[in-house]
Amino acid sequence: MDTTPREPLLTMNAIDDIYTSLNSEQRTAVFSDERFLLILAGAGAGKTRTITIRIARLLAEQKVFPQNILALTFTNKAAREMRERIDQLLGEHISISLGTFHSFGARFLRRYARTLGLSQNFVIYDTTDSVQLLQQEFPDHPRATIVGWSKLISLAKDRALTPEDSLEHVNKNPEFRQVYASYQKRLHNSQAVDFGDLILRPILALREYEEIREAVHRQCTTILVDEYQDTNYAQFIFLQLLLGEKNSLCVVGDDDQSIYSFRGAEIRNIIDFPHHFTPCSIFRLETNYRSTDEILNFAGNSISHNSDRHTKTLKGTQKTGEKPQFALLNDDVLEARFCIQKIIEEYRSGTIAIFYRTNAQSRLFESQLAHEHIPYQIVGTLRFWDREEIKDLMSVFSLFLNPRDVVSFMRIINKPSRKIGAKSIQTIIDISEETGNTLLEATKNHRTSAKKAQVLLELFDELPRYLNNCEKLSNLVQHILRQSGLGSLYAEHIKSELKQENIDEFMRLCDSFEPNMTGVQALLEQFALDSVETEHVQDSRVHLMTIHKAKGLEFDHVFLTGMNEGLFPIRTYPEELEEERRLFYVACTRAQLSLTITSTQLRMVHGRQEYQTISRFMEEIDPSLYAQNRSTMPGHRVSHSWSVGEMVYHSEYGSGRVEHVELRYGEEYIRVSFFNGRRGEFVPKYVKDLVKLDG
């Protein structure tokens, strides 16, 4: 470790100016020198600013050397933003290890590849590639089974489990262990790793090799983690192993925004952090720079119903605004009309978002926006890296770098069509595995296929020479398009112009990498690591998205739609319900100036209109914290016309008895216990097939 004295990066005046910009909560967190530090950063409380200034302070005050800092994020976008802020604060580029967990894992594996029995040119498989590899290993199984296995393998790796470990908590079927083991063997033969391996394999290396562990402990003396609430169990174990006896760990996160359990995120990591890393100092960032107090009070009242959390109370810095507005509409068609009409009449400027719990809800909003000629963007559509032409070109690059990559080979060996059958392709793969030859060498040795694939084989033979002589990596892309036949294939496509635009963008990206093998390797790594991230939110009048896609974004005006039981919350087991409530909290805290929540009495479900009840999340919030939009209420009764104990008949459910009556949002709600054991809640005014029985 270099201990050579350095010149200060900043003058004392410049340092003081940076610190002055912090509020008291942020300043306390930035200046803490505790070994273990948990910064609980509420929504919009400036967590990124706090962690970047903390890093800048460590560097500027020479508390730590740049090469000894490891800063981990969850998206490449967040890593780029953090690096830009640090460089801006210090006035120069400082080389620290800053990136996602997965990018750090990839660098770790390349550094110790030889020790771990990996080629330094290993490729990284995404979810689609993993499914294709399993399909190739188990060709007689239905795709649904293969996809299920892929998810289970990913879950096992998120829990830091190998095929040799007990897998009962992942899947009790003894067949799964063999499937997992066979999949890992296929990965090894292809000199590939998947996303789970980027965390699991470093864990195994740190456990097994003392010299690697000691080297990492010497290198990574100061570790910082952003969005800690999103870590899974394997990432938690990874962090534990990265920590030596004197290494420090600072994590920043918000347990109230932990919404990714379906991706393996484990909320216990942040809840139990003070117990895992002791002694631990806890700081709370509760000053919100995004939303009005009215929105924060509403959201805070909701999240306070969760029991498994670190308590926080957000305070706004915005001027006083209007209370969140609740609108109850008759059906989902009117819900869409109401939202779009409100946009037209009230929100002529500012950013606008419409959130929903499931993608299927977007159609009615799209139709209304199109009818009113209002530009909109659906966030979370097909990602750039998932487009056919980009995946094809990256497969050529990948097979060029790693000629044992079976997934890339299967993608491009017969594209454009060379009339090489599935049996011939499987024979080539078998020859490669039996002889130890690469897939391209095995193709040359398969007489029939060698002739049909001659153009492709010649392309791969000349790629090294062409790469050595080209000025830019985009020149290599153009050469591949010409020689492989892919360029002609795309030109004949019905969406040829769109494909060409995507290729042009891809070539611009390629030219940011060096035209050599190292550049190709870096391009492939960025492709693998960026492909899991969401698309950039473009400038548009209105943005449509699921709430999960809204995490990390902010808008002047937010519409939170579909607040009905069974839709939001969509899951109601106790632990799931708490996460659903956190999702509701995330949605509310995206709003800066106004928040409108909508619910319906009728909704189209599986092709038929069904009666709905208002989400429990709305019913549990103090009514004084929001305003009801009376103009949307279908009617206002002042007394009950139904009584507890009355006998009723429903055409589908049969006879029953009224067990509860209440006035809710200006409408009469009744709960009926039917004699067949079923229960139902109704708004009688809108239920034609529910009638009272005499006596």
Side-chain angles (χ1 to χ4, degrees):
M1 183 174 67
D2 181 16
T3 57
T4 306
R6 296 176 290 125
E7 289 295 322
L9 295 172
L10 293 173
T11 65
M12 288 306 299
N13 287 339
I15 294 173
D16 289 341
D17 287 343
I18 293 172
Y19 296 158
T20 302
S21 68
L22 298 169
N23 66 37
S24 59
E25 299 163 348
Q26 295 169 337
R27 192 176 297 112
T28 305
V30 164
F31 278 88
S32 172
D33 286 325
E34 300 293 332
R35 183 184 174 202
F36 298 126
L37 183 62
L38 170 61
I39 301 175
L40 294 168
K47 69 174 180 59
T48 303
R49 177 174 178 76
T50 302
I51 195 171
T52 52
I53 292 181
R54 180 174 174 81
I55 293 172
R57 178 220 166 199
L58 292 171
L59 292 167
E61 297 185 1
Q62 303 185 34
K63 299 283 185 180
V64 66
F65 287 85
Q67 64 269 26
N68 297 131
I69 290 181
L70 171 61
L72 298 171
T73 66
F74 271 83
T75 66
N76 288 300
K77 178 185 176 185
R80 286 191 291 268
E81 289 178 355
M82 192 178 295
R83 187 177 295 281
E84 288 169 3
R85 289 194 189 193
I86 293 170
D87 290 350
Q88 187 176 26
L89 286 169
L90 297 176
E92 61 179 291
H93 177 70
I94 304 299
S95 182
I96 66 173
S97 183
L98 196 165
T100 65
F101 271 90
H102 291 100
S103 65
F104 175 70
R107 293 197 302 274
F108 181 103
L109 292 180
R110 293 204 193 279
R111 180 175 180 179
Y112 299 109
R114 183 172 297 178
T115 304
L116 304 179
L118 269 174
S119 163
Q120 282 200 320
N121 291 332
F122 68 79
V123 293
I124 303 170
Y125 281 175
D126 62 15
T127 303
T128 303
D129 297 331
S130 295
V131 169
Q132 289 176 349
L133 192 68
L134 277 167
Q135 190 78 70
Q136 202 269 326
E137 176 71 5
F138 302 99
D140 298 329
H141 287 74
R143 183 170 176 81
T145 300
I146 298 293
V147 170
W149 282 343
S150 176
K151 291 179 179 178
L152 288 172
I153 290 171
S154 178
L155 178 59
K157 292 183 179 184
D158 285 346
R159 296 181 179 177
L161 298 173
T162 71
E164 289 73 40
D165 294 319
S166 172
L167 298 169
E168 285 198 0
H169 292 294
V170 177
N171 188 270
K172 295 182 184 293
N173 190 335
E175 181 187 22
F176 174 62
R177 183 185 304 280
Q178 184 55 47
V179 169
Y180 186 4
S182 298
Y183 169 76
Q184 288 300 100
K185 184 178 179 181
R186 280 281 181 182
L187 275 177
H188 180 74
N189 290 341
S190 298
Q191 284 296 294
V193 298
D194 61 18
F195 274 89
D197 282 331
L198 294 177
I199 307 299
L200 178 60
R201 294 199 63 159
I203 286 175
L204 299 177
L206 288 166
R207 283 174 173 169
E208 183 176 353
Y209 298 99
E210 184 177 358
E211 66 274 19
I212 292 179
R213 190 167 61 251
E214 290 179 350
V216 171
H217 289 171
R218 288 193 300 272
Q219 183 72 35
C220 305
T221 63
T222 303
I223 303 174
L224 304 98
V225 182
D226 192 18
E227 302 285 11
Y228 187 67
Q229 78 279 351
D230 293 336
T231 53
N232 60 35
Y233 181 73
Q235 288 161 337
F236 163 70
I237 295 297
F238 194 14
L239 283 173
Q240 280 192 320
L241 291 167
L242 288 172
L243 285 170
E245 292 183 0
K246 297 182 179 179
N247 301 36
S248 68
L249 174 62
C250 169
V251 303
V252 183
D254 183 5
D255 47 306
D256 289 336
Q257 298 187 71
S258 178
I259 60 173
Y260 293 126
S261 66
F262 67 95
R263 293 182 187 170
E266 176 50 72
I267 192 173
R268 300 301 330 164
N269 289 353
I270 191 167
I271 296 292
D272 296 334
F273 184 88
H275 305 296
H276 292 306
F277 303 96
T278 57
C280 171
S281 293
I282 303 175
F283 297 103
R284 288 171 169 80
L285 306 185
E286 298 176 306
T287 303
N288 176 282
Y289 293 93
R290 177 187 300 152
S291 309
T292 62
D293 271 333
E294 287 78 7
I295 293 171
L296 295 176
N297 292 338
F298 177 86
N301 187 262
S302 173
I303 200 64
S304 68
H305 289 84
N306 273 8
S307 58
D308 203 9
R309 62 187 292 259
H310 293 287
T311 304
K312 293 177 291 297
T313 303
L314 295 184
K315 308 174 291 291
T317 58
Q318 298 273 29
K319 63 181 180 182
T320 301
E322 60 185 37
K323 289 181 179 180
Q325 185 179 101
F326 174 70
L328 177 64
L329 289 308
N330 187 58
D331 57 35
D332 42 3
V333 174
L334 289 177
E335 178 181 46
R337 288 179 185 170
F338 167 77
C339 292
I340 307 313
Q341 197 61 36
K342 190 174 177 69
I343 290 171
I344 293 171
E345 294 175 359
E346 299 182 28
Y347 304 139
R348 299 185 182 278
S349 62
T351 54
I352 301 169
I354 297 175
F355 297 159
Y356 33 79
R357 182 64 180 83
T358 66
N359 280 306
Q361 293 167 252
S362 72
R363 184 185 62 81
L364 291 171
F365 295 103
E366 290 182 65
S367 297
Q368 286 293 320
L369 288 164
H371 179 73
E372 298 292 343
H373 306 290
I374 298 174
Y376 67 91
Q377 178 202 6
I378 302 178
V379 178
T381 54
L382 190 64
R383 295 168 297 207
F384 176 77
W385 294 109
D386 287 336
R387 292 175 173 129
E388 176 193 25
E389 55 276 15
I390 307 304
K391 291 275 280 187
D392 289 344
L393 288 166
M394 292 308 295
S395 291
V396 175
F397 275 127
S398 183
L399 194 60
F400 170 42
L401 192 71
N402 175 14
R404 298 184 187 278
D405 179 1
V406 67
V407 171
S408 294
F409 173 79
M410 292 175 67
R411 184 178 183 93
I412 58 100
I413 185 63
N414 211 25
K415 192 171 190 178
S417 176
R418 298 179 177 90
K419 298 184 179 178
I420 302 174
K423 287 185 178 180
S424 294
I425 293 174
Q426 186 58 55
T427 300
I428 293 169
I429 294 170
D430 292 341
I431 291 172
S432 173
E433 293 184 353
E434 290 167 6
T435 63
N437 290 334
T438 68
L439 291 162
L440 296 173
E441 290 168 342
T443 305
K444 293 177 182 177
N445 294 332
H446 189 263
R447 188 175 303 172
T448 306
S449 298
K451 186 175 182 179
K452 294 178 178 179
Q454 183 179 352
V455 171
L456 189 67
L457 293 172
E458 289 176 353
L459 170 65
F460 278 98
D461 284 341
E462 66 185 23
L463 279 179
R465 177 183 57 80
Y466 197 91
L467 178 60
N468 287 335
N469 295 317
C470 67
E471 295 180 0
K472 300 183 295 184
L473 212 49
S474 59
N475 297 150
L476 189 65
V477 176
Q478 292 172 326
H479 182 70
I480 290 170
L481 288 167
R482 283 194 305 269
Q483 299 303 112
S484 67
L486 290 172
S488 299
L489 178 69
Y490 303 144
E492 295 169 1
H493 196 277
I494 190 170
K495 295 182 178 179
S496 58
E497 290 185 8
L498 179 60
K499 288 186 177 294
Q500 187 57 54
E501 288 175 7
N502 291 332
I503 291 169
D504 290 343
E505 178 61 29
F506 177 68
M507 287 195 288
R508 278 194 290 272
L509 172 65
C510 285
D511 285 339
S512 63
F513 296 89
E514 293 296 321
N516 51 41
M517 292 296 282
T518 302
V520 172
Q521 186 182 78
L523 171 64
L524 283 166
E525 192 161 298
Q526 179 164 333
F527 160 67
L529 298 174
D530 274 1
S531 64
V532 296
E533 298 189 9
T534 55
E535 281 198 347
H536 175 65
V537 177
Q538 303 166 355
D539 291 334
S540 189
R541 182 78 173 96
V542 179
H543 307 281
L544 305 179
M545 69 194 78
T546 63
I547 303 166
H548 280 102
K549 296 291 184 184
K551 176 77 160 50
L553 303 177
E554 57 185 38
F555 302 91
D556 294 321
H557 310 289
V558 166
F559 291 83
L560 178 52
T561 66
M563 292 302 299
N564 292 107
E565 279 293 300
L567 183 58
F568 197 9
I570 201 170
R571 300 172 297 175
T572 55
Y573 287 111
E575 288 186 2
E576 295 175 332
L577 187 60
E578 291 223 343
E579 177 155 333
E580 290 282 306
R581 193 178 284 109
R582 291 195 293 271
L583 193 59
F584 178 70
Y585 174 80
V586 165
C588 295
T589 54
R590 300 309 95 195
Q592 296 179 279
L593 303 177
S594 75
L595 173 64
T596 303
I597 302 101
T598 62
S599 182
T600 65
Q601 299 193 30
L602 291 165
R603 190 170 291 277
M604 189 69 71
V605 180
H606 303 305
R608 53 178 285 182
Q609 286 273 30
E610 292 191 2
Y611 296 99
Q612 303 286 304
T613 57
I614 295 169
S615 168
R616 70 185 72 191
F617 294 157
M618 284 303 303
E619 296 193 333
E620 67 192 14
I621 295 176
D622 182 347
S624 68
L625 296 177
Y626 62 93
Q628 294 184 33
N629 188 315
R630 292 290 176 182
S631 67
T632 67
M633 304 299 174
H636 310 288
R637 301 171 191 251
V638 294
S639 63
H640 297 310
S641 61
W642 291 70
S643 303
V644 172
E646 283 186 309
M647 298 288 291
V648 299
Y649 178 81
H650 188 278
S651 60
E652 182 176 345
Y653 302 138
S655 300
R657 188 185 303 276
V658 177
E659 62 178 20
H660 180 73
V661 180
E662 68 174 293
L663 197 65
R664 201 187 305 165
Y665 303 109
E667 287 296 333
E668 192 172 24
Y669 279 70
I670 68 171
R671 187 166 63 244
V672 179
S673 176
F674 293 97
F675 299 144
N676 63 4
R678 299 179 69 178
R679 276 185 172 156
E681 191 171 87
F682 305 92
V683 183
K685 179 180 178 180
Y686 300 99
V687 187
K688 295 179 181 179
D689 45 2
L690 180 72
V691 296
K692 295 182 183 181
L693 296 177
D694 294 334

